[in-house]
Coordinates of all heavy atoms in Angstrom, one line a residue:
M1 N 209.3 182.8 147.1 CA 209.1 181.5 146.3 C 209.8 180.4 147.1 O 210.9 180.5 147.5 CB 209.7 181.7 144.9 CG 209.7 180.4 144.1 SD 210.9 180.5 142.9 CE 210.0 180.4 141.4
T2 N 209.1 179.3 147.1 CA 209.7 178.0 147.8 C 210.5 177.3 146.8 O 210.1 177.1 145.6 CB 208.6 177.1 148.3 OG1 207.8 177.9 149.3 CG2 209.2 175.9 149.0
R3 N 211.7 177.0 147.2 CA 212.6 176.1 146.4 C 212.5 174.7 146.8 O 212.5 174.4 148.0 CB 214.0 176.6 146.4 CG 214.3 177.9 145.6 CD 215.7 178.4 145.7 NE 216.7 177.4 145.7 CZ 217.9 177.5 145.2 NH1 218.2 178.6 144.5 NH2 218.8 176.5 145.3
Y4 N 212.6 173.7 145.9 CA 212.6 172.4 146.2 C 214.0 171.8 145.8 O 214.5 172.2 144.7 CB 211.4 171.6 145.6 CG 210.1 172.0 146.2 CD1 209.4 173.1 145.6 CD2 209.7 171.4 147.3 CE1 208.3 173.5 146.2 CE2 208.5 171.8 147.9 CZ 207.8 172.9 147.3 OH 206.6 173.3 147.8
V5 N 214.5 170.8 146.5 CA 215.8 170.3 146.1 C 215.6 168.8 145.8 O 214.9 168.1 146.5 CB 216.8 170.4 147.3 CG1 218.1 169.7 147.0 CG2 217.0 171.8 147.7
V6 N 216.2 168.4 144.7 CA 216.1 167.0 144.3 C 217.4 166.3 144.7 O 218.4 166.7 144.4 CB 216.0 166.9 142.7 CG1 216.0 165.4 142.3 CG2 214.7 167.6 142.2
H7 N 217.2 165.2 145.5 CA 218.2 164.4 145.9 C 218.3 163.1 145.1 O 217.3 162.4 145.0 CB 218.1 164.0 147.4 CG 218.0 165.2 148.3 ND1 219.1 165.8 148.8 CD2 217.0 165.9 148.7 CE1 218.7 166.9 149.5 NE2 217.4 166.9 149.5
L8 N 219.4 162.8 144.4 CA 219.6 161.7 143.6 C 220.7 160.8 144.1 O 221.9 161.0 143.9 CB 219.9 162.2 142.2 CG 220.2 161.0 141.1 CD1 219.0 160.2 141.0 CD2 220.7 161.6 139.8
P9 N 220.3 159.8 144.9 CA 221.4 158.9 145.5 C 222.1 158.1 144.4 O 221.5 157.6 143.5 CB 220.7 158.0 146.4 CG 219.4 158.7 146.7 CD 219.0 159.5 145.4
V10 N 223.4 158.1 144.6 CA 224.3 157.2 143.7 C 225.3 156.6 144.6 O 225.5 156.9 145.8 CB 225.0 158.0 142.6 CG1 224.0 158.7 141.7 CG2 225.9 159.1 143.3
V11 N 225.9 155.5 144.1 CA 226.9 154.8 144.9 C 228.3 155.0 144.3 O 228.5 155.0 143.1 CB 226.6 153.3 144.9 CG1 227.7 152.5 145.7 CG2 225.2 153.1 145.5
A12 N 229.2 155.3 145.1 CA 230.7 155.6 144.8 C 231.5 154.9 145.8 O 231.1 154.8 147.0 CB 231.0 157.1 144.7
A13 N 232.7 154.4 145.4 CA 233.6 153.7 146.3 C 234.2 154.5 147.4 O 234.6 154.1 148.4 CB 234.7 153.0 145.5
D14 N 234.4 155.9 147.1 CA 235.1 156.7 148.0 C 234.7 158.2 147.7 O 233.9 158.4 146.8 CB 236.6 156.6 147.9 CG 237.1 156.8 146.4 OD1 236.5 157.5 145.7 OD2 238.2 156.4 146.2
L15 N 235.1 159.1 148.6 CA 234.7 160.5 148.5 C 235.2 161.1 147.2 O 234.4 161.8 146.5 CB 235.2 161.3 149.7 CG 234.9 162.7 149.7 CD1 233.4 163.0 149.7 CD2 235.5 163.4 150.9
A16 N 236.4 160.9 146.8 CA 236.9 161.4 145.5 C 236.1 161.0 144.4 O 235.7 161.8 143.5 CB 238.3 161.0 145.4
G17 N 235.7 159.7 144.3 CA 234.8 159.2 143.2 C 233.5 159.8 143.2 O 232.9 160.1 142.2
A18 N 232.9 160.0 144.4 CA 231.6 160.6 144.6 C 231.6 162.0 144.1 O 230.7 162.5 143.4 CB 231.2 160.5 146.1
I19 N 232.7 162.7 144.5 CA 232.7 164.1 144.0 C 232.9 164.2 142.5 O 232.3 165.1 141.8 CB 233.9 164.8 144.8 CG1 233.5 165.1 146.2 CG2 234.3 166.1 144.1 CD1 234.6 165.6 147.1
R20 N 233.8 163.4 141.9 CA 233.9 163.4 140.4 C 232.5 163.1 139.8 O 232.1 163.8 138.8 CB 234.9 162.3 140.0 CG 236.3 162.8 140.1 CD 237.3 161.9 139.4 NE 237.2 160.5 139.8 CZ 237.9 160.0 140.9 NH1 238.6 160.7 141.6 NH2 237.7 158.7 141.2
L21 N 231.8 162.0 140.3 CA 230.5 161.7 139.7 C 229.5 162.9 139.9 O 228.8 163.2 138.9 CB 230.0 160.4 140.4 CG 228.6 160.0 140.0 CD1 228.6 159.7 138.4 CD2 228.2 158.8 140.7
A22 N 229.5 163.5 141.0 CA 228.6 164.7 141.3 C 228.9 165.8 140.3 O 228.0 166.4 139.8 CB 228.7 165.1 142.7
R23 N 230.2 166.1 140.1 CA 230.5 167.2 139.2 C 230.1 166.9 137.7 O 229.6 167.8 137.1 CB 232.1 167.4 139.2 CG 232.5 168.1 140.5 CD 234.0 168.2 140.6 NE 234.6 168.9 139.4 CZ 234.7 170.2 139.3 NH1 234.3 171.0 140.2 NH2 235.2 170.7 138.2
V24 N 230.3 165.6 137.3 CA 229.8 165.2 136.0 C 228.3 165.4 135.8 O 227.8 165.9 134.9 CB 230.3 163.8 135.6 CG1 229.7 163.3 134.4 CG2 231.8 163.8 135.5
A25 N 227.6 164.8 136.9 CA 226.2 164.9 136.8 C 225.7 166.3 136.8 O 224.8 166.7 136.0 CB 225.6 164.1 138.0
A26 N 226.3 167.2 137.6 CA 225.9 168.6 137.7 C 226.1 169.3 136.4 O 225.3 170.0 135.9 CB 226.6 169.2 138.9
W27 N 227.3 169.1 135.9 CA 227.7 169.8 134.6 C 226.8 169.3 133.5 O 226.5 170.1 132.6 CB 229.2 169.4 134.3 CG 229.8 170.3 133.3 CD1 230.1 170.0 132.0 CD2 230.0 171.7 133.4 NE1 230.6 171.0 131.3 CE2 230.6 172.1 132.1 CE3 230.0 172.6 134.4 CZ2 230.9 173.5 132.0 CZ3 230.3 173.9 134.2 CH2 230.8 174.3 133.0
S28 N 226.3 168.1 133.5 CA 225.5 167.6 132.4 C 224.1 168.2 132.3 O 223.5 168.1 131.3 CB 225.4 166.0 132.5 OG 224.6 165.6 133.5
V29 N 223.7 168.8 133.4 CA 222.3 169.4 133.5 C 222.4 170.9 133.5 O 221.4 171.6 133.8 CB 221.4 168.8 134.6 CG1 221.2 167.3 134.4 CG2 222.0 169.1 136.0
R30 N 223.6 171.4 133.3 CA 223.7 172.9 133.5 C 222.9 173.7 132.5 O 222.6 174.9 132.7 CB 225.2 173.3 133.3 CG 225.7 173.2 131.9 CD 227.3 173.4 131.9 NE 227.8 173.4 130.5 CZ 228.0 172.3 129.9 NH1 227.8 171.1 130.4 NH2 228.5 172.4 128.6
F31 N 222.4 173.1 131.4 CA 221.6 173.8 130.4 C 220.1 174.0 130.9 O 219.4 174.8 130.4 CB 221.5 173.0 129.1 CG 220.8 171.7 129.2 CD1 219.5 171.6 128.9 CD2 221.5 170.6 129.6 CE1 218.8 170.4 129.1 CE2 220.9 169.4 129.7 CZ 219.6 169.2 129.5
L32 N 219.8 173.3 132.0 CA 218.5 173.5 132.5 C 218.4 174.7 133.4 O 219.2 174.8 134.3 CB 218.0 172.2 133.4 CG 217.9 170.9 132.7 CD1 217.8 169.8 133.7 CD2 216.7 171.0 131.7
P33 N 217.4 175.6 133.2 CA 217.4 176.8 134.1 C 217.2 176.5 135.5 O 217.5 177.4 136.4 CB 216.3 177.7 133.4 CG 215.5 176.7 132.7 CD 216.4 175.6 132.3
Q34 N 216.6 175.4 135.9 CA 216.3 175.1 137.2 C 217.5 174.6 137.9 O 217.5 174.4 139.2 CB 215.2 174.0 137.3 CG 213.9 174.4 136.7 CD 213.8 174.0 135.2 OE1 214.9 173.7 134.5 NE2 212.7 173.9 134.7
A35 N 218.5 174.1 137.2 CA 219.7 173.5 137.9 C 220.7 174.5 138.4 O 220.9 175.6 137.8 CB 220.4 172.6 136.8
D36 N 221.3 174.2 139.5 CA 222.3 175.1 140.2 C 223.6 174.2 140.4 O 223.8 173.8 141.5 CB 221.7 175.7 141.4 CG 222.7 176.7 142.1 OD1 223.7 177.0 141.4 OD2 222.4 177.2 143.2
P37 N 224.3 173.9 139.3 CA 225.5 173.0 139.5 C 226.4 173.4 140.6 O 227.0 172.6 141.2 CB 226.1 173.0 138.1 CG 225.1 173.4 137.2 CD 224.2 174.3 138.0
R38 N 226.7 174.7 140.8 CA 227.7 175.2 141.7 C 227.3 174.8 143.1 O 228.1 174.8 144.0 CB 227.8 176.7 141.6 CG 228.6 177.0 140.3 CD 228.9 178.5 140.2 NE 229.8 178.9 141.3 CZ 229.6 179.9 142.0 NH1 228.6 180.7 141.9 NH2 230.4 180.2 143.0
A39 N 226.0 174.5 143.4 CA 225.6 174.2 144.8 C 225.6 172.7 145.0 O 225.2 172.2 146.1 CB 224.2 174.7 145.0
T40 N 226.2 171.9 144.1 CA 226.3 170.5 144.3 C 227.2 170.1 145.4 O 228.3 170.5 145.5 CB 226.7 169.8 143.0 OG1 225.9 170.2 141.9 CG2 226.7 168.3 143.0
T41 N 226.7 169.2 146.3 CA 227.5 168.7 147.4 C 227.3 167.2 147.4 O 226.5 166.6 146.8 CB 226.9 169.3 148.7 OG1 225.5 168.9 148.9 CG2 227.1 170.8 148.8
V42 N 228.2 166.6 148.2 CA 228.3 165.1 148.4 C 228.3 164.8 149.9 O 228.9 165.6 150.7 CB 229.5 164.5 147.8 CG1 229.7 163.1 148.2 CG2 229.5 164.7 146.2
S43 N 227.6 163.8 150.4 CA 227.6 163.4 151.7 C 227.6 161.9 151.8 O 227.3 161.2 150.8 CB 226.5 164.0 152.5 OG 225.2 163.4 152.0
T44 N 227.9 161.3 153.0 CA 227.7 159.9 153.1 C 226.3 159.6 153.5 O 225.5 160.4 154.0 CB 228.6 159.3 154.3 OG1 228.1 159.9 155.5 CG2 230.1 159.6 154.0
E45 N 225.9 158.4 153.2 CA 224.5 158.0 153.5 C 224.2 158.1 155.0 O 223.1 158.5 155.4 CB 224.2 156.6 152.9 CG 222.8 156.2 153.0 CD 222.5 154.9 152.3 OE1 223.5 154.0 152.2 OE2 221.4 154.6 151.8
A46 N 225.2 157.7 155.7 CA 225.0 157.7 157.1 C 225.0 159.0 157.8 O 224.6 159.2 159.0 CB 226.2 156.8 157.7
N47 N 225.6 160.1 157.2 CA 225.7 161.3 157.8 C 225.4 162.4 156.7 O 226.3 163.1 156.3 CB 227.1 161.6 158.3 CG 227.1 162.6 159.4 OD1 226.2 163.4 159.6 ND2 228.3 162.9 160.0
P48 N 224.2 162.5 156.3 CA 223.8 163.4 155.2 C 224.0 164.9 155.6 O 223.9 165.7 154.6 CB 222.3 163.1 154.9 CG 221.8 162.5 156.2 CD 223.0 161.8 156.8
D49 N 224.1 165.2 156.8 CA 224.2 166.6 157.2 C 225.6 167.2 157.0 O 225.9 168.4 157.0 CB 223.8 166.8 158.7 CG 222.3 166.6 158.8 OD1 221.5 166.8 157.9 OD2 221.9 166.2 160.0
V50 N 226.6 166.3 156.8 CA 228.0 166.7 156.6 C 228.2 166.6 155.1 O 228.3 165.6 154.5 CB 229.0 165.8 157.3 CG1 230.5 166.2 156.9 CG2 228.8 165.9 158.8
R51 N 228.2 167.8 154.4 CA 228.3 167.9 153.0 C 229.6 168.4 152.5 O 230.2 169.2 153.1 CB 227.2 168.8 152.5 CG 225.8 168.2 152.7 CD 224.7 169.1 152.3 NE 223.4 168.5 152.6 CZ 222.4 168.3 151.7 NH1 222.6 168.9 150.5 NH2 221.3 167.8 152.0
H52 N 230.1 167.9 151.4 CA 231.4 168.3 150.8 C 231.0 169.0 149.5 O 230.4 168.4 148.6 CB 232.2 167.1 150.5 CG 232.5 166.3 151.7 ND1 233.6 166.5 152.5 CD2 231.9 165.2 152.3 CE1 233.6 165.6 153.5 NE2 232.5 164.9 153.4
R53 N 231.5 170.2 149.4 CA 231.2 170.9 148.1 C 232.0 170.3 146.9 O 233.0 169.8 147.1 CB 231.6 172.4 148.2 CG 230.8 173.2 149.2 CD 231.1 174.7 149.2 NE 230.7 175.2 147.9 CZ 229.5 175.6 147.6 NH1 228.5 175.4 148.5 NH2 229.2 176.1 146.4
T54 N 231.4 170.4 145.7 CA 232.1 169.9 144.6 C 232.7 170.9 143.6 O 233.6 170.7 142.9 CB 231.2 169.0 143.7 OG1 230.0 169.7 143.3 CG2 230.7 167.8 144.6
F55 N 232.2 172.1 143.8 CA 232.7 173.3 143.0 C 233.1 174.4 143.9 O 232.6 174.5 145.0 CB 231.6 173.8 142.0 CG 231.2 173.0 140.9 CD1 230.2 172.0 141.0 CD2 232.0 173.0 139.7 CE1 229.8 171.2 139.9 CE2 231.7 172.1 138.6 CZ 230.6 171.3 138.8
C56 N 234.1 175.1 143.5 CA 234.6 176.3 144.2 C 233.4 177.3 144.3 O 232.7 177.5 143.4 CB 235.8 177.0 143.4 SG 236.4 178.5 144.2
D57 N 233.3 177.9 145.5 CA 232.2 178.9 145.7 C 232.7 180.3 145.6 O 231.9 181.2 145.9 CB 231.4 178.6 147.0 CG 232.3 178.8 148.2 OD1 233.6 179.0 148.1 OD2 231.8 178.9 149.3
A58 N 233.8 180.5 145.1 CA 234.4 181.9 145.0 C 233.8 182.5 143.6 O 233.5 181.9 142.7 CB 235.9 181.9 145.0
A59 N 233.7 183.8 143.7 CA 233.4 184.6 142.5 C 234.7 185.3 142.0 O 235.5 185.7 142.7 CB 232.3 185.6 142.8
L60 N 234.8 185.4 140.7 CA 235.9 186.1 140.0 C 235.6 187.6 140.2 O 234.6 188.0 140.5 CB 236.0 185.7 138.5 CG 236.3 184.2 138.3 CD1 236.1 183.9 136.9 CD2 237.6 183.8 138.8
P61 N 236.7 188.4 139.9 CA 236.5 189.8 140.0 C 235.3 190.4 139.2 O 234.7 191.4 139.6 CB 237.8 190.4 139.5 CG 238.8 189.4 139.8 CD 238.0 188.1 139.6
N62 N 235.0 189.8 138.1 CA 233.9 190.2 137.3 C 232.5 189.8 137.8 O 231.5 190.0 137.1 CB 234.1 189.9 135.8 CG 234.1 188.4 135.6 OD1 233.9 187.6 136.5 ND2 234.4 187.9 134.3
G63 N 232.5 189.0 138.9 CA 231.3 188.5 139.5 C 230.8 187.1 139.0 O 230.0 186.5 139.6
R64 N 231.5 186.6 137.9 CA 231.1 185.3 137.4 C 231.7 184.2 138.4 O 232.8 184.5 138.9 CB 231.6 185.2 135.9 CG 230.9 186.2 135.1 CD 231.1 186.0 133.7 NE 230.4 184.8 133.3 CZ 230.6 184.2 132.1 NH1 231.4 184.8 131.2 NH2 229.9 183.1 131.7
P65 N 231.1 183.1 138.4 CA 231.6 182.1 139.3 C 232.8 181.3 138.8 O 233.1 181.1 137.6 CB 230.4 181.1 139.4 CG 229.7 181.2 138.0 CD 229.9 182.6 137.7
C66 N 233.7 180.8 139.7 CA 234.8 180.0 139.4 C 234.2 178.6 139.0 O 233.3 178.1 139.6 CB 235.7 179.8 140.6 SG 237.0 178.6 140.4
L67 N 234.8 178.0 138.0 CA 234.3 176.7 137.6 C 235.1 175.5 138.0 O 234.9 174.3 137.6 CB 234.1 176.7 136.1 CG 233.1 177.6 135.5 CD1 233.1 177.5 133.9 CD2 231.8 177.4 136.1
L68 N 236.1 175.7 138.8 CA 237.0 174.7 139.3 C 236.5 173.9 140.5 O 235.6 174.3 141.1 CB 238.4 175.3 139.6 CG 239.1 176.1 138.5 CD1 240.4 176.6 138.9 CD2 239.3 175.2 137.2
R69 N 237.2 172.8 140.8 CA 236.7 172.0 141.9 C 236.9 172.7 143.2 O 237.7 173.7 143.3 CB 237.5 170.6 142.0 CG 238.9 170.7 142.3 CD 239.6 169.4 142.2 NE 241.0 169.5 142.6 CZ 242.0 169.9 142.0 NH1 241.8 170.2 140.7 NH2 243.2 170.0 142.5
A70 N 236.2 172.3 144.3 CA 236.2 173.1 145.5 C 237.6 173.2 146.2 O 237.8 174.2 146.7 CB 235.3 172.4 146.5
D71 N 238.4 172.3 146.0 CA 239.7 172.3 146.7 C 240.9 172.6 145.7 O 242.0 172.2 145.9 CB 240.0 171.1 147.4 CG 240.0 169.8 146.5 OD1 239.6 169.9 145.3 OD2 240.3 168.7 147.0
H72 N 240.6 173.4 144.6 CA 241.6 173.6 143.6 C 242.8 174.4 144.1 O 242.7 175.2 145.0 CB 241.0 174.2 142.3 CG 240.6 175.7 142.5 ND1 241.5 176.7 142.4 CD2 239.4 176.2 142.8 CE1 240.9 177.9 142.5 NE2 239.6 177.6 142.8
D73 N 244.0 174.2 143.4 CA 245.1 174.9 143.7 C 245.2 176.1 142.7 O 244.7 176.0 141.7 CB 246.4 174.1 143.5 CG 246.5 173.0 144.6 OD1 246.1 173.2 145.7 OD2 247.0 171.9 144.3
G74 N 245.8 177.1 143.1 CA 246.0 178.3 142.2 C 244.8 179.1 142.1 O 243.8 179.0 142.9
P75 N 244.9 180.2 141.2 CA 243.8 181.1 141.1 C 242.5 180.5 140.5 O 242.5 179.5 139.8 CB 244.3 182.2 140.2 CG 245.4 181.4 139.4 CD 245.9 180.4 140.3
C76 N 241.4 181.1 140.9 CA 240.1 180.8 140.3 C 240.1 181.0 138.8 O 240.8 181.9 138.3 CB 239.0 181.5 141.0 SG 238.7 181.0 142.7
S77 N 239.2 180.3 138.2 CA 239.2 180.4 136.7 C 237.8 180.1 136.2 O 237.1 179.3 136.8 CB 240.2 179.5 136.1 OG 240.1 179.5 134.7
R78 N 237.5 180.5 135.0 CA 236.2 180.1 134.3 C 236.6 178.9 133.3 O 235.7 178.3 132.7 CB 235.8 181.2 133.4 CG 235.2 182.4 134.1 CD 233.9 182.2 134.7 NE 232.9 181.8 133.7 CZ 231.7 181.3 133.9 NH1 231.4 181.0 135.2 NH2 230.9 181.0 133.0
R79 N 237.8 178.5 133.3 CA 238.2 177.3 132.4 C 238.8 176.2 133.3 O 239.4 176.4 134.3 CB 239.3 177.8 131.5 CG 238.9 178.8 130.5 CD 239.9 179.2 129.5 NE 240.3 177.9 128.8 CZ 240.2 177.8 127.5 NH1 239.9 178.7 126.8 NH2 240.5 176.6 126.9
I80 N 238.4 175.0 132.9 CA 238.9 173.8 133.6 C 240.3 173.6 133.1 O 240.5 173.4 131.9 CB 238.0 172.7 133.4 CG1 236.6 173.0 134.0 CG2 238.5 171.4 134.0 CD1 235.5 172.0 133.7
H81 N 241.3 173.5 134.0 CA 242.7 173.3 133.6 C 242.9 171.8 133.7 O 242.7 171.1 134.7 CB 243.6 174.0 134.6 CG 243.4 175.5 134.6 ND1 243.7 176.3 133.6 CD2 242.8 176.3 135.5 CE1 243.4 177.6 133.9 NE2 242.8 177.6 135.1
R82 N 243.5 171.2 132.6 CA 243.8 169.8 132.5 C 245.2 169.7 132.7 O 246.0 170.5 132.1 CB 243.2 169.3 131.2 CG 241.7 169.4 131.1 CD 241.2 168.4 130.2 NE 239.8 168.7 129.9 CZ 238.8 168.4 130.7 NH1 239.0 167.8 131.9 NH2 237.6 168.6 130.3
L83 N 245.7 168.6 133.4 CA 247.1 168.3 133.4 C 247.6 167.8 132.1 O 246.8 167.1 131.4 CB 247.4 167.3 134.5 CG 247.0 167.7 135.9 CD1 247.2 166.5 136.9 CD2 247.9 168.8 136.4
P84 N 248.9 168.1 131.7 CA 249.4 167.5 130.5 C 249.5 166.0 130.5 O 249.7 165.4 131.6 CB 250.7 168.2 130.3 CG 251.0 168.7 131.7 CD 249.8 168.9 132.4
A85 N 249.3 165.4 129.4 CA 249.4 163.9 129.4 C 250.8 163.5 129.7 O 251.8 164.2 129.5 CB 249.0 163.4 128.0
E86 N 250.9 162.3 130.4 CA 252.3 161.8 130.7 C 252.9 161.3 129.5 O 252.3 160.9 128.5 CB 252.1 160.6 131.7 CG 251.6 161.0 133.0 CD 251.4 159.8 133.9 OE1 252.1 158.7 133.7 OE2 250.6 159.8 134.9
P87 N 254.3 161.5 129.4 CA 255.0 161.0 128.2 C 254.8 159.5 128.0 O 254.7 158.8 128.9 CB 256.5 161.3 128.5 CG 256.4 162.3 129.6 CD 255.1 162.1 130.4
G88 N 254.6 159.2 126.7 CA 254.4 157.8 126.3 C 253.0 157.3 126.5 O 252.7 156.2 126.4
R89 N 252.0 158.3 126.8 CA 250.6 157.9 126.9 C 249.8 158.4 125.8 O 250.0 159.4 125.2 CB 250.1 158.3 128.3 CG 250.7 157.6 129.4 CD 250.0 157.8 130.6 NE 249.0 156.8 130.7 CZ 248.4 156.5 131.8 NH1 248.7 157.1 132.9 NH2 247.5 155.5 131.8

C-alpha cells in the first residue's frame, strides 16, 4: 500500500517554537486513524531534508510508545510530566 504524507507549512520564530507547534498540531489530530503523531518532524524551509523529531521514538517495555518530547530527560513515559508552578504564580 502506498502512503502519502501531508506537509503543512507553518511559521515559527525558532526551532523550539516550531517543535512546540508541531507537537500541539500532531496531538490535536491523534483521533484520526490516518494520523501518525509520533512521526512528526520539523525542518527549516531552506533545508527540508534535515528533520528534527518532535516525539521520543522509544518504546516502553510493554511495546507502547513513549509520549514525551524527543529530547526528554529521565525515563520514557506514557504521561506528559509537567513542571510544578513557580511560587507566587
